[in-house]
């Protein structure tokens, strides 16, 4: 902490800390004495609700309470599909060495990405783009460069999906539903439409969940 004076100490995946490390961290954050005079901003990130982990005995309750006193929730990627084009642009720009051109992304590839639920959140998108950038070399990133399920690649429309757009095909809707385990709300968000619109598309195209 003294080394981080007047700075920020960031701890990623705090839920993965061992029990002994959690106890040590709690002691540091609540210590009396010289540590109290250290000017440090402490930020911890977690993909899990620390309160729930504490109630199940998998996280130190006192530390969970301390860390969640000032909590900022960042919605997972599948809840903000409309942000994906800007995230793709930003991530590709960050991973491109200075002086080199930032790879372009074909509309079909972007459309395929926007139908994927991203269980690994932004980190998975970053890994996916790094792999696609390597495979595409100097060419624009196309759908065949992306490590996506084949059903999503085949169902991708020629351009990014628009809310309720007429280009939503039966194959695309089924692919998204299967990728989201037939959860209507999540699938609708991935397609950029609401639940009612998705139900209308399913009824019009005869899409039914397999028994």
């Amino acid at each position: 902490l003294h080394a981080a004076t007047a700075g920020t100490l960031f701890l990623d995946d705090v839920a993965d800390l061992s029990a002994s490390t959690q106890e040590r961290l709690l002691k540091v954050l609540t210590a009396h004495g010289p540590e109290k005079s250290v000017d440090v901003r402490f930020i911890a990130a977690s993909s899990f609700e620390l309160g729930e982990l504490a109630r199940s005995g998998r996280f130190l309750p006192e530390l969970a309470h301390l860390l969640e006193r000032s909590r900022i929730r960042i919605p997972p990627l599948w809840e903000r599909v409309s942000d994906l084009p800007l995230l793709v642009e930003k991530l590709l720009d960050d991973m491109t060495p200075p002086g080199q051109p930032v790879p372009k992304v074909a509309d079909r590839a972007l459309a395929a990405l926007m139908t994927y639920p991203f269980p690994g959140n932004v980190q998975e998108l970053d890994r996916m783009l790094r792999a696609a950038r390597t495979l595409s070399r100097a060419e624009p990133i196309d759908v065949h460069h992306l490590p996506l399920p084949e059903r999503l690649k085949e169902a991708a429309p020629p351009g990014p999906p628009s809310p309720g757009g007429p280009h939503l095909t039966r194959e695309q809707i089924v692919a998204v539903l299967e990728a989201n385990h037939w959860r209507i709300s999540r699938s609708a968000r991935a397609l950029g439409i609401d639940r009612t619109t998705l139900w209308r598309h399913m009824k019009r195209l005869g899409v039914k969940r397999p028994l």
Side-chain angles (χ1 to χ4, degrees), residues 6-203:
T8 299
L9 183 62
F10 177 70
L11 183 61
D12 198 8
D13 294 326
V14 68
D16 294 335
L17 294 178
S18 65
S20 60
T21 303
Q22 291 177 32
E23 292 178 356
R24 291 170 59 189
L25 179 59
L26 178 63
K27 289 180 180 178
V28 169
L29 295 178
T30 59
H32 296 281
E35 290 81 2
K36 283 294 183 178
S37 62
V38 177
D39 180 18
V40 175
R41 179 189 293 109
F42 183 86
I43 300 176
S46 174
S47 300
F48 303 93
E49 294 285 346
L50 297 183
E52 293 182 6
L53 294 180
R55 285 188 287 274
S56 64
R58 292 179 292 168
F59 201 82
L60 198 62
E62 296 88 345
L63 182 58
H65 175 72
L66 183 63
L67 294 178
E68 291 196 330
R69 286 169 58 184
S70 300
R71 183 176 66 170
I72 299 175
R73 180 181 181 273
I74 300 177
L77 186 54
W78 59 265
E79 286 187 9
R80 46 192 175 108
V81 179
S82 60
D83 291 344
L84 194 139
L86 289 176
L87 277 172
V88 168
E89 183 180 340
K90 172 62 175 173
L91 289 172
L92 286 173
D93 183 63
D94 288 346
M95 68 181 65
T96 301
Q100 293 187 16
V102 178
K104 302 293 184 183
V105 181
D107 286 346
R108 181 174 168 82
L110 186 59
L113 287 171
M114 293 179 74
T115 61
Y116 182 65
F118 285 101
N121 218 333
V122 178
Q123 291 86 349
E124 184 176 11
L125 173 62
D126 183 89
R127 291 193 296 270
M128 197 174 288
L129 291 175
R130 290 182 185 278
R133 183 176 177 275
T134 300
L135 291 173
S136 66
R137 301 177 184 267
E139 301 176 0
I141 294 175
D142 208 338
V143 66
H144 61 275
H145 297 130
L146 296 167
L148 286 170
E150 287 300 320
R151 62 182 183 277
L152 294 187
K153 296 181 182 181
E154 295 169 359
S162 58
H167 60 266
L168 287 178
T169 65
R170 187 180 194 279
E171 291 75 18
Q172 182 188 9
I173 290 175
V174 170
V176 174
L177 286 166
E178 289 179 347
N180 288 281
H181 307 290
W182 290 83
R183 297 177 182 174
I184 300 299
S185 295
R186 181 177 293 187
S187 298
R189 281 192 290 265
L191 289 166
I193 59 180
D194 57 37
R195 285 174 53 95
T196 303
T197 302
L198 177 55
W199 278 117
R200 285 203 300 266
H201 280 299
M202 292 173 65
K203 183 177 181 180

